[in-house]
Amino acid sequence: MEVDKGKGEAEETRKVAEADRDTVTLKSSDGKLFEVSKEAAARLSTVLAGMIAGGSIDDNGTDLKQIGSEALENVVDYCNKHANSIPSAALISSSISFNTAPFKEPEEWERKFVDRLSHDALFDLVEAANFLGMERLLDVTCHKISEMMKGKSPDQIREVFNIKNDYTKEELEEIRQELAWAFYDD
Amino acid sequence: MDHLSSLPVEMHEEILRRLPLEDAIRTSGLANSWRYRWARCPGLKLVFGEDDSTTAAAVDAFLARYTCNVSHAQIELGDEPHTIDIDGWLRALAAKAIRYLVLRFMPSDSSLLRIMPLAPASLFSCSQLTSLVLERCNIPALPPSFNGFPSLETLQLDVVNFAENGEKTFEALIAKSPLLRSLNCQYPSISGDDDDNGGNYCEWTIRAPNLKLLSFWAWEDYGWRVYDLPQIEEACVHLTGPDLARFLPGMTRVKGLCMVITVDTILEQLPYFMYLKDLALHTLLTKSSQVLSMLCILRNAPNLENLHIMLVQEQEDTGDIEVNMGLLDAQGTVGFFSRLKSFQLYDSMGHKNEMCFIEFVMSKATILQEIEIYIHEYSSKSMEDVYDESSQYKRASPHAEIIVNRYVPLFADYFISIVSGCTNDIFIFQRRIRCTLQSLMYVYT
């Protein structure tokens, strides 16, 4: 099977990576092949790290049946970008406030990376990151989704995410009473 | 299609954990499947007061309905702490096995800074705490029911006051935290029944058998001393009075030490610091008490590898000692700097006393690799002058390299000396030394 002609930077990094023979090939559910830096894949994904260490990587393309080609392309793109990026000081330095410690703020390029994604692509990427055990990518994507919910009323959130309101009138009234303060802007 | 609701539950939890508390609770209103999702989502943190996104009503609702334990809470109360049931919050958090607690009282109106609110006694029922930060409050007497903080490892007290019989409270608080490994006190105070007791505090003792990191900064001597700390590794102490001499004997096992030597410091009889490798001193070289105190500690640190001296420069010349090789050699030459690898002198004016001390170090340190001198921006001596002069000195270590740099202060008013009561430079110094010693002082893990 022909290697999929990835777009933009994924393509370029792939060429470089091929020359180094330091890559692994991943196959999406719809049979497309992607190459990714072995070092970045092992560092960013616990699942891929396990497969590389366990020798279950297929040179002709390791099957990832749960991940579609669009999501896998984003995963690979993210890994390759990550392989080339220098961590910022903000990431290295430890924070005094434990409040921020467990979640690292996304870097500028990571923000841009998820900002350009469509709604569908973002959610596919969350699931792919979850499946592959990619903690950092999960951080970035969940951060993006939480940003989309912050400061919004339930009505506004339902609209953004197309959530069906299945409450009865009575239930809704009960919730309003319970959390009166939360519905100020409804 | 509703992508959000169809994500796996653990993803919902990842998202909820990233939302401000109020937004997380508000997801109740989305749909049936979301109604109590937040209440069952482990790992939500209570953050109140950092920004305006969470109201007190939201915290009340959170504490009433949340079914999981709360491991982290950071509460900053502003101008009107009385309108908030902080006592009730802490009781609820104690019941939810709170482990990391930050409680700050931060009035936005600086005229209120003088009034320190009383921390609620329910604080002492948070028996699962591993990390506690208290800022700007009065610490009440320990309730009789207090069984200590058996798991507490990190305690940070910023500008707290211990009220009546505060010495006993302070002492018991530390003694009843047997696992304490990091203690950080910034300007604590103790006010007895009589505020005018002229500094007559009863002596009390810091006993912490597992303490590794100690940072202690105080303007006044409240009678504290340190009992032998068998595990101590790093310490940063800024004490302006005779209390320094009561701290040091308890810290003989320290590996990294950062301290201030002021005009009131008199160090004469010290034990040996056999483990001390990194020493940072903030002092000046023109007063006899300071010079002799400094030599006292240097003499008793035979394994010192890195020495940093940050000079305090005084505006008027009030020096009373001339440092010369005769004086320095009279200190006894055995053991001085025999393991020293690097010496850094910050904020040097290139004065005679400073140059003489540089000469002294170079003449004694047989394995010195590097000597770095940072020249103060107001120094009348050029970097070349200082370099040429120090290059003439006899070197006990032929390979010692001399580096002279221009010192760039972080603040324009850096010139103000620590002795005159400016706090800014203490923090600059502390920050630098923290980098130097790679102190773990503030890292919670």
Side-chain angles (χ1 to χ4, degrees):
Chain A
M1 180 170 291
E2 227 181 77
V3 170
D4 177 67
K5 300 282 179 213
K7 294 176 209 151
E9 285 191 52
E11 166 82 358
E12 277 179 40
T13 33
R14 207 187 63 224
K15 280 181 187 159
V16 175
E18 268 175 353
D20 291 341
R21 295 185 173 279
D22 227 359
T23 61
V24 285
T25 308
L26 304 174
K27 194 197 276 183
S28 69
S29 61
D30 45 345
K32 290 192 179 167
L33 296 180
F34 296 90
E35 290 216 35
V36 62
S37 143
K38 189 188 271 183
E39 181 278 325
R43 180 161 47 88
L44 296 168
S45 158
T46 53
V47 171
L48 292 177
M51 291 168 90
I52 291 166
S56 52
I57 286 288
D58 186 340
D59 287 343
N60 299 319
T62 303
D63 265 332
L64 295 172
K65 287 201 163 48
Q66 294 79 352
I67 303 174
S69 57
E70 201 196 346
L72 191 56
E73 185 177 335
N74 280 323
V75 166
V76 165
D77 209 10
Y78 176 81
C79 288
N80 289 336
K81 278 202 169 88
H82 214 284
N84 298 330
S85 85
I86 302 155
S88 76
L91 260 171
I92 301 166
S93 74
S94 55
S95 168
I96 288 179
S97 164
F98 63 68
N99 180 37
T100 54
F103 304 126
K104 286 172 191 150
E105 284 287 303
E107 301 221 21
E108 189 56 34
W109 71 266
E110 289 175 316
R111 275 179 207 278
K112 284 187 184 147
F113 184 83
V114 288
D115 280 349
R116 70 182 170 85
L117 297 177
S118 72
H119 209 86
D120 289 3
L122 175 64
F123 280 96
D124 286 345
L125 187 57
V126 175
E127 293 197 51
N130 187 34
F131 174 75
L132 291 170
M134 299 179 70
E135 197 184 336
R136 180 67 193 158
L137 184 54
L138 267 179
D139 250 2
V140 177
T141 47
C142 288
H143 180 88
K144 172 68 183 169
I145 295 170
S146 75
E147 288 289 320
M148 293 161 76
M149 298 171 77
K150 255 180 211 171
K152 292 199 171 75
S153 70
D155 276 350
Q156 289 168 325
I157 295 174
R158 277 198 292 264
E159 201 181 310
V160 171
F161 294 98
N162 200 17
I163 298 168
K164 192 175 173 298
N165 182 0
D166 56 1
Y167 281 130
T168 63
K169 254 195 162 142
E170 293 72 31
E171 282 170 331
L172 213 53
E173 194 47 44
E174 195 185 311
I175 292 169
R176 272 173 194 279
Q177 304 254 321
E178 210 174 275
L179 304 170
W181 51 268
F183 292 83
Y184 55 88
D185 50 359
D186 245 22
Chain B
M1 187 195 161
D2 178 0
H3 288 293
L4 182 61
S5 301
S6 46
L7 283 178
V9 172
E10 66 264 27
M11 291 297 98
H12 288 156
E13 294 178 348
E14 290 290 340
I15 293 162
L16 285 168
R17 280 195 279 270
R18 283 169 175 77
L19 284 172
L21 198 56
E22 186 152 330
D23 284 318
I25 298 172
R26 195 177 283 136
T27 58
S28 276
L30 292 177
N32 262 307
S33 62
W34 283 90
R35 183 155 180 186
Y36 294 115
R37 185 147 293 167
W38 69 266
R40 291 190 291 263
C41 168
L44 293 191
K45 289 178 196 147
L46 169 51
V47 178
F48 177 78
E50 197 177 50
D51 46 38
D52 293 329
S53 63
T54 297
T55 60
V59 175
D60 289 337
F62 170 71
L63 291 172
R65 297 193 179 272
Y66 191 48
T67 60
C68 309
N69 280 344
V70 180
S71 75
H72 289 67
Q74 179 173 323
I75 301 168
E76 289 181 6
L77 299 178
D79 297 335
E80 292 178 291
H82 314 295
T83 59
I84 284 165
D85 178 20
I86 183 67
D87 188 54
W89 287 7
L90 291 187
R91 261 184 282 122
L93 287 170
K96 292 183 186 301
I98 183 78
R99 292 192 294 130
Y100 298 84
L101 175 64
V102 177
L103 180 58
R104 295 194 161 106
F105 294 87
M106 317 279 278
S108 60
D109 179 355
S110 59
S111 68
L112 293 171
L113 272 170
R114 292 185 154 273
I115 310 158
M116 287 229 219
L118 188 67
S122 50
L123 176 68
F124 299 115
S125 54
C126 300
S127 58
Q128 313 275 309
L129 283 178
T130 59
S131 176
L132 173 62
V133 178
L134 293 173
E135 184 168 345
R136 276 196 30 74
C137 55
N138 273 299
I139 312 280
L142 297 173
S145 58
F146 179 56
N147 289 323
F149 292 126
S151 312
L152 193 67
E153 293 182 6
T154 305
L155 176 61
Q156 183 177 334
L157 303 172
D158 288 346
V159 202
V160 299
N161 180 62
F162 288 85
E164 30 186 316
N165 289 324
E167 297 93 332
K168 292 288 154 225
T169 308
F170 208 159
E171 188 176 58
L173 185 62
I174 295 167
K176 291 193 169 193
S177 305
L179 296 187
L180 200 62
R181 42 188 298 283
S182 168
L183 173 64
N184 183 353
C185 295
Q186 307 286 327
Y187 311 108
S189 59
I190 296 172
S191 64
D193 296 329
D194 177 15
D195 269 344
D196 303 316
N197 63 1
N200 287 325
Y201 299 94
C202 50
E203 285 216 355
W204 63 277
T205 307
I206 293 170
R207 283 169 208 272
N210 287 302
L211 200 67
K212 285 183 162 42
L213 307 167
L214 173 67
S215 179
F216 210 100
W217 302 70
W219 291 122
E220 233 183 290
D221 180 356
Y222 288 98
W224 36 49
R225 64 190 183 94
V226 169
Y227 187 75
D228 182 41
L229 300 172
Q231 301 289 330
I232 192 75
E233 287 175 5
E234 284 181 22
C236 198
V237 286
H238 170 242
L239 302 167
T240 56
D243 38 353
L244 182 62
R246 295 199 307 271
F247 263 56
L248 289 176
M251 309 198 299
T252 52
R253 289 177 188 80
V254 80
K255 295 179 184 130
L257 175 63
C258 152
M259 65 180 195
V260 179
I261 297 179
T262 70
V263 275
D264 298 319
T265 309
I266 297 166
L267 300 176
E268 287 169 332
Q269 298 270 308
L270 283 181
Y272 278 94
F273 295 85
M274 299 305 284
Y275 302 87
L276 189 57
K277 287 190 171 168
D278 297 288
L279 175 64
L281 298 170
H282 200 180
T283 186
L284 46 75
L285 290 175
T286 51
K287 292 270 182 12
S288 53
S289 60
Q290 277 152 300
V291 171
L292 295 174
S293 293
M294 179 182 75
L295 291 170
C296 180
I297 182 127
L298 289 174
R299 194 170 44 229
N300 285 21
N303 294 317
L304 193 64
E305 291 179 6
N306 304 300
L307 174 64
H308 307 260
I309 295 182
M310 177 73 143
L311 292 172
V312 179
Q313 299 295 350
E314 286 186 308
Q315 268 156 336
E316 68 256 50
D317 184 21
T318 54
D320 64 356
I321 188 170
E322 188 190 317
V323 177
N324 56 48
M325 292 304 274
L327 170 96
L328 295 169
D329 279 331
Q331 298 303 310
T333 50
V334 184
F336 252 120
F337 306 131
S338 60
R339 299 277 173 88
L340 195 70
K341 288 182 190 152
S342 86
F343 170 48
Q344 260 112 24
L345 184 69
Y346 300 95
D347 241 8
S348 171
M349 298 295 273
H351 285 163
K352 191 167 168 301
N353 282 5
E354 297 163 14
M355 297 309 294
C356 191
F357 186 74
I358 293 167
E359 186 179 0
F360 178 57
V361 174
M362 287 172 66
S363 72
K364 293 285 177 254
T366 50
I367 59 163
L368 189 72
Q369 290 162 2
E370 187 178 275
I371 175 161
E372 252 182 293
I373 306 162
Y374 291 83
I375 303 295
H376 195 290
E377 59 174 344
Y378 297 144
S379 169
S380 57
K381 273 197 183 172
S382 70
M383 298 198 297
E384 290 73 24
D385 290 346
V386 173
Y387 182 82
D388 290 344
E389 205 175 322
S390 46
S391 300
Q392 307 296 317
Y393 299 149
K394 187 177 135 256
R395 283 175 227 196
S397 165
H399 303 298
E401 189 187 356
I402 301 168
I403 303 161
V404 180
N405 291 312
R406 173 72 53 194
Y407 183 65
V408 184
L410 292 172
F411 292 115
D413 63 353
Y414 191 72
F415 207 66
I416 303 166
S417 88
I418 192 172
V419 188
S420 69
C422 171
T423 56
N424 272 347
D425 53 1
I426 298 175
F427 290 112
I428 300 166
F429 181 58
Q430 190 185 24
R431 207 171 305 138
R432 174 175 307 116
I433 295 315
R434 209 186 304 153
C435 298
T436 311
L437 303 180
Q438 302 190 330
S439 164
L440 302 164
M441 203 63 90
Y442 290 111
V443 182
Y444 296 85
T445 32

